[in-house]
């Protein structure tokens, strides 16, 4: 962790530098494009290296920065089998052994080369019906997530198996794009699967800028809803409302692929217990506590101190947002105009404003995440057919696009969408259906030059 700050020089990153391409005189197509240079408001850093997602917000006060740095250490800590003097409590069933393993360099996981190796891929599970709070109904014997790893002496819930279904899209200029859809199935279960069990794969996402998204006022997000498409534009985003086990009440969903979690604290706590089998003060029971293969019999819960969970949550809230690059260039400027023209910005809302946050650095910031944080029907091609609170089997939350152009530099790949099926941005766009169908169709009709400009814009973010 320390090497990141020593090698780069924290002062230089905080001060930043603008590319000579960022010429304010060239922003005529998009009136506020020059403002978008500060993608995370005062939390923005000007850094285009493999550490671009891993810097603390430069406007943190000393106390918050200290907690952030402690959280950084915990985020990278690898857990081991209990009992142990340090980082004890892994498993007994789990998917991975550290936060950083699913969010490498605080970024996006790739689709795994070997499907059952530890990776940033996991599989959610449930059966038809709803729990007492309107959420997905846990699959008996398997819970809400399939753990495909286990400690010695224990049995994984199941193994993953993948085949790929291919399809072809042809663009107006004759370019042929081959799409792949991973068909992930479960094998070798430790007990028979319950009837009607639904599954849905997930890939780990970037964790920077999350505190800013948490600080957007609920009213601002709800103002973007158009559930009945009253304006007739084919876009009908809706908010998800989810149960918060910490607050013991229903709250607006903001995080996760289906906006099925309301706060970063709960997201982190759930990841500890579901992904790593690490109990904590929000989820004090092992993920398999009511299963024959998921109880360790030790009296060591919670397995992490309250302060550790709080440090990691603050760390995720206060990672800086990388600034866009080359946004003054003519090609990127033209791409930004095309992004608006073909309808991408109807869901990938460029601008948001935060309200009050207990972390002063996050309060009252004008930010550019390119997301409305709402659920949208994305069509049959992306459907997982598994509901999650108010999200149905075709609906997904609009993913923020900030930093997306740095994915290859930071994480060494360009795998996108909830299951990592898209191998580049073009494929990701071509998977859009439902409410995204019109934008996809317009994308397919772009000239080669227009498509190149649009992709240049996305890669500038």
């Amino acid at each position: 962790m320390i090497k990141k700050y020593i090698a780069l020089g924290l002062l230089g990153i905080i001060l930043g530098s603008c590319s000579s391409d960022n010429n304010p005189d060239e922003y005529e197509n998009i009136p506020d494009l020059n403002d978008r240079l500060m993608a995370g408001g005062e939390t923005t850093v000007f850094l285009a290296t493999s550490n671009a997602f891993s810097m603390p917000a430069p406007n943190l006060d000393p106390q918050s920065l200290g907690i952030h740095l402690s959280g950084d250490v915990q985020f990278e800590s690898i857990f081991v089998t209990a009992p142990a003097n340090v980082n004890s409590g892994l498993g007994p069933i789990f998917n991975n052994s550290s936060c950083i393993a699913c969010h490498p360099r605080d970024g996006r996981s790739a689709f795994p080369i070997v499907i059952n190796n530890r990776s940033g891929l996991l599989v959610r599970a449930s059966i038809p019906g709803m729990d007492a709070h309107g959420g997905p109904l846990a699959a008996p014997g398997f819970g809400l997530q399939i753990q495909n790893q286990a400690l010695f002496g224990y049995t994984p819930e199941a193994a993953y198996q993948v085949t790929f279904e291919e399809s072809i899209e042809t663009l107006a200029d004759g370019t042929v794009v081959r799409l792949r859809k991973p068909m992930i199935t479960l094998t070798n279960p430790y007990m028979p699967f319950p009837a009607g069990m639904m599954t849905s794969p997930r890939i780990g996402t970037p964790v920077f800028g999350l505190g800013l998204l948490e600080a957007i006022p609920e009213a601002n997000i709800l103002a973007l809803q158009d559930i009945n498409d009253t304006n007739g534009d084919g876009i009908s985003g809706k908010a998800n409302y989810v149960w918060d086990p910490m607050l013991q009440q229903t709250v607006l969903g903001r995080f996760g692929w289906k906006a099925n979690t309301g706060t970063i604290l709960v997201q982190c706590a759930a990841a500890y217990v579901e992904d790593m089998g690490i109990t904590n003060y929000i989820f004090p029971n092992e993920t398999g506590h009511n299963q024959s293969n998921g109880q360790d019999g030790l009296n060591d819960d919670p397995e992490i101190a309250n302060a550790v969970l709080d440090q990691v949550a603050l760390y995720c809230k206060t990672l800086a947002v990388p600034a866009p690059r080359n946004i003054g260039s003519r090609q990127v400027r033209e791409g930004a105009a095309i992004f608006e023209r073909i309808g991408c910005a109807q869901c990938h809302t460029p601008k948001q404003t935060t309200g009050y946050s207990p972390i002063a650095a996050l309060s009252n910031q004008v930010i550019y995440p390119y997301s409305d944080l709402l659920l949208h029907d994305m069509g049959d091609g992306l459907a997982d057919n598994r509901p999650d609170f108010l999200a149905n089997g075709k609906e997904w939350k609009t993913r923020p696009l900030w930093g997306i152009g740095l994915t290859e530099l930071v994480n060494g790949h360009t795998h996108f969408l909830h299951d990592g099926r898209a191998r580049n941005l073009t494929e990701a766009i071509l998977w859009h259906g439902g409410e995204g169908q019109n934008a996809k169709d317009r994308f397919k009709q772009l000239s080669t030059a227009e498509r190149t400009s649009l992709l240049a814009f996305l890669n500038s973010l």
Side-chain angles (χ1 to χ4, degrees):
M1 180 273 297
I2 296 297
K3 64 179 181 293
K4 293 189 296 194
Y5 310 119
I6 294 176
L8 294 167
L10 184 56
L11 179 60
I13 288 142
I14 290 175
L15 294 177
S17 61
C18 297
S19 165
S20 59
D21 287 336
N22 294 325
N23 182 351
D25 296 333
E26 297 184 347
Y27 292 115
E28 64 270 16
N29 288 344
I30 306 295
D32 68 341
L33 197 57
N34 53 336
D35 297 329
R36 300 186 194 185
L37 187 64
M38 301 300 291
E42 293 176 10
T43 76
T44 307
V45 290
F46 295 84
L47 185 64
T49 74
S50 60
N51 287 308
F53 300 161
S54 299
M55 303 309 301
N59 60 335
L60 290 177
D61 60 68
Q63 181 181 7
S64 295
L65 179 59
I67 299 171
H68 174 103
L69 296 177
S70 296
D72 191 346
V73 173
Q74 300 298 338
F75 195 83
E76 297 184 9
S77 295
I78 299 172
F79 285 86
V80 297
T81 307
N85 291 330
V86 179
N87 299 334
S88 177
L90 180 67
I93 52 175
F94 60 99
N95 293 116
N96 221 316
S97 57
S98 68
C99 304
I100 201 75
C102 290
H103 307 279
R105 292 184 174 273
D106 303 297
R108 180 180 279 101
S109 282
F111 190 88
I113 296 172
V114 180
I115 193 68
N116 273 303
N117 282 359
R118 296 186 194 181
S119 71
L121 174 74
L122 56 84
V123 176
R124 292 282 167 82
S126 56
I127 59 173
M130 294 184 295
D131 69 9
H133 304 296
L137 191 58
F142 294 89
L144 292 170
Q145 187 166 310
I146 304 299
Q147 282 80 28
N148 67 333
Q149 310 288 328
L151 301 179
F152 180 77
Y154 294 86
T155 304
E157 289 183 318
Y160 301 164
Q161 180 174 290
V162 64
T163 58
F164 292 95
E165 183 180 276
E166 294 195 347
S167 59
I168 292 175
E169 292 274 2
T170 303
L171 308 184
D173 65 358
T175 299
V176 174
V177 181
R178 297 183 181 275
L179 303 179
R180 67 168 192 177
K181 179 179 181 178
M183 309 297 289
I184 296 176
T185 54
L186 303 176
T187 64
N188 301 322
Y190 83 101
M191 64 174 285
F193 294 121
M197 189 172 80
M198 301 171 286
T199 60
S200 181
R202 299 284 192 273
I203 285 283
T205 57
V207 294
F208 64 84
L210 300 183
L212 294 167
L213 301 181
E214 190 173 70
I216 298 171
E218 182 173 340
N220 293 15
I221 297 172
L222 298 183
L224 299 173
Q225 287 191 116
D226 187 12
I227 296 175
N228 298 314
D229 191 20
T230 55
N231 62 4
D233 65 356
I235 306 297
S236 53
K238 75 178 187 186
N240 203 354
Y241 276 91
V242 305
W243 179 253
D244 188 301
M246 179 67 178
L247 300 175
Q248 289 291 296
Q249 65 184 50
T250 299
V251 300
L252 176 70
R254 299 170 186 257
F255 305 105
W257 284 100
K258 285 182 178 279
N260 68 329
T261 307
T263 68
I264 293 303
L265 178 62
V266 172
Q267 183 86 355
C268 291
Y272 267 114
V273 73
E274 292 282 359
D275 299 356
M276 294 178 278
I278 305 296
T279 56
N280 52 76
Y281 69 87
I282 297 179
F283 297 103
N285 297 317
E286 300 282 359
T287 183
H289 69 278
N290 59 348
Q291 299 175 196
S292 62
N293 72 330
Q295 303 175 85
D296 62 12
L298 300 175
N299 186 25
D300 60 352
D301 301 314
E303 292 164 322
I304 54 171
N306 297 2
V308 169
L309 177 57
D310 294 341
Q311 289 164 2
V312 169
L314 184 137
Y315 173 74
C316 293
K317 292 178 185 182
T318 56
L319 282 165
V321 175
R325 297 143 315 281
N326 303 321
I327 60 174
S329 75
R330 182 166 299 279
Q331 185 181 58
V332 168
R333 194 172 70 252
E334 290 172 354
I338 293 168
F339 182 86
E340 300 272 349
R341 189 180 80 227
I342 69 174
C344 304
Q346 289 176 281
C347 300
H348 292 283
T349 308
K351 183 179 179 180
Q352 297 278 4
T353 302
T354 70
Y356 166 78
S357 169
I359 303 170
L362 308 178
S363 294
N364 305 312
Q365 299 295 311
V366 177
I367 60 175
Y368 294 88
Y370 293 86
S371 173
D372 57 10
L373 299 184
L374 296 175
L375 299 170
H376 295 275
D377 182 331
M378 296 302 293
D380 293 332
L382 284 175
D384 68 350
N385 300 310
R386 177 181 178 270
D388 205 333
F389 290 96
L390 300 184
N392 67 36
K394 293 184 180 181
E395 290 176 324
W396 301 93
K397 187 196 77 176
T398 307
R399 286 295 309 162
L401 298 181
W402 53 11
I404 197 167
L406 291 166
T407 302
E408 186 168 17
L409 178 62
V410 174
N411 294 128
H413 68 84
T414 53
H415 297 174
F416 301 112
L417 301 180
H418 68 278
D419 53 8
R421 69 177 67 184
R423 289 162 292 192
N424 51 57
L425 289 171
T426 296
E427 290 187 17
I429 295 168
L430 292 175
W431 274 111
H432 283 52
E435 295 175 48
Q437 184 70 44
N438 289 337
K440 167 192 167 176
D441 290 344
R442 295 181 191 119
F443 173 78
K444 291 178 66 176
Q445 294 304 313
L446 295 176
S447 68
T448 305
E450 289 173 322
R451 189 172 71 248
T452 301
S453 293
L454 175 62
L455 293 174
F457 166 67
L458 293 174
N459 280 305
S460 76
L461 296 178

